[in-house]
Amino acid sequence: MMEDNLVRTNPGNADQAIENGLSLGILVPTAVPMLAATPIDRCRYLRSDSRFDLFEIIDTGKIISIPFHQQDRHRYLIHEFDRTAAALARKPRWNGLCSVNIAQHAVQHSQHASTPAKPYALLHDNEERDIGDLITPLKHELRRLKVWDTIDTRIVLPMRQRFARMAGLEWPWPEAIETEIKIIDERLKSTEARDQVDHSLLDQMPDQKHEPYPEFMEAWSQIEARSAYLQACIELFPSLKGFSNVQLAV
């Protein structure tokens, strides 16, 4: 992956430009429904100037400018992660039955994770910005119908890969980190069920695979959750290393 502090003294080339576009999530390897990005097979590299790699979308002729200087890349990533923060902060967990929103869940997930797992924990539900929070019983039924594997492979994982590259993280995720994230997720789900879910709205409470955390979970406001999520992105993501003085337009 390209270094964030790269300043080109020579013209770029197509391989550099494609990697740059992938690392910013502006380009994606394959088309994904609901994803605001361009598949690389639907555009062609034109040239690089002093600050941008330029592509043309084949179908429309639209020109895409992809920044490669550190300051421009930071500005773009901050904008994209803030859009994600705002969307996740508006979406409650448990398909609307929990007072905790997805942005708060992500931040608290990272707070309980080990140092290597913190950035992965923060973005582990980012695809829910576009597809929403699919409740566990629905996922189980989709698995029974042999549908979930296709959804996971064709939609969820490409979205997760895009966010991982934008954050500057490894893909695929390290196996030990995935295991840790699943355990924390179950404990947070048990904590939410105890503190922030109206049990009268559920026909049946889900099984608790792990004990809840001992401290009471307060629900955050949308503004608080959005701000905390973006600040955590700045602190944890390698792609935003060195960024400071962020101001939110909320």
Side-chain angles (χ1 to χ4, degrees):
M1 185 175 295
M2 296 175 58
E3 295 294 329
D4 286 332
N5 62 357
L6 175 63
V7 177
R8 293 182 188 152
T9 55
N10 298 312
N13 59 48
D15 290 339
Q16 284 180 319
I18 289 172
E19 176 62 26
N20 183 37
L22 291 170
S23 70
L24 285 170
I26 298 172
L27 302 180
V28 290
T30 57
V32 180
M34 302 173 288
L35 196 61
T38 301
I40 57 178
D41 62 356
R42 289 175 53 193
C43 64
R44 65 184 182 93
Y45 171 67
L46 296 176
R47 65 184 185 279
S48 299
D49 61 22
S50 61
R51 289 174 57 188
F52 297 95
D53 294 318
L54 303 176
F55 287 81
E56 179 186 24
I57 299 178
I58 296 172
D59 296 339
T60 65
K62 178 183 177 182
I63 304 300
I64 305 174
S65 300
I66 302 177
F68 60 79
H69 279 189
Q70 183 183 49
Q71 183 177 3
D72 297 321
R73 286 172 57 86
H74 280 170
R75 186 181 298 112
Y76 174 83
L77 287 168
I78 286 295
H79 173 70
E80 287 302 303
F81 282 122
D82 185 39
R83 288 180 66 233
T84 299
L88 295 180
R90 286 168 169 78
K91 295 188 175 185
R93 294 264 293 161
W94 296 60
N95 199 28
L97 301 183
C98 180
S99 301
V100 172
N101 60 58
I102 299 172
Q104 175 183 344
H105 170 78
V107 173
Q108 292 182 321
H109 205 297
S110 70
Q111 291 171 343
H112 287 287
S114 63
T115 298
K118 283 183 181 296
Y120 296 89
L122 184 64
L123 59 72
H124 79 283
D125 278 340
N126 271 23
E127 66 273 5
E128 293 180 4
R129 182 188 81 172
D130 297 308
I131 64 176
D133 180 24
L134 299 181
I135 58 176
T136 300
L138 175 58
K139 290 182 180 179
H140 288 334
E141 182 64 13
L142 292 173
R143 288 188 181 98
R144 188 186 69 80
L145 296 172
K146 303 185 186 303
V147 174
W148 177 252
D149 285 347
T150 300
I151 295 173
D152 199 37
T153 302
R154 299 289 296 275
I155 298 177
V156 175
L157 291 181
M159 289 180 172
R160 193 168 292 179
Q161 178 183 11
R162 178 188 183 226
F163 280 114
R165 293 189 64 114
M166 290 170 66
L169 301 175
E170 290 183 46
W171 184 263
W173 294 359
E175 186 175 346
I177 286 177
E178 283 205 25
T179 300
E180 179 181 348
I181 285 174
K182 289 177 182 177
I183 294 173
I184 296 172
D185 216 36
E186 290 294 335
R187 294 198 67 183
L188 285 175
K189 184 164 65 175
S190 296
T191 309
E192 291 164 354
R194 182 193 65 197
D195 298 337
Q196 293 297 336
V197 173
D198 185 345
H199 295 195
S200 68
L201 300 177
L202 293 172
D203 294 328
Q204 180 179 344
M205 288 295 293
D207 295 334
Q208 292 190 8
K209 297 180 181 179
H210 295 275
E211 288 296 313
Y213 288 104
E215 61 273 14
F216 180 81
M217 180 182 288
E218 296 278 359
W220 301 351
S221 69
Q222 289 184 15
I223 293 176
E224 182 181 8
R226 175 182 175 181
S227 177
Y229 179 94
L230 184 58
Q231 188 59 45
C233 290
I234 294 168
E235 294 172 357
L236 296 176
F237 291 163
S239 63
L240 293 176
K241 183 179 180 182
F243 187 88
S244 61
N245 299 323
V246 62
Q247 293 184 349
L248 297 181
V250 295

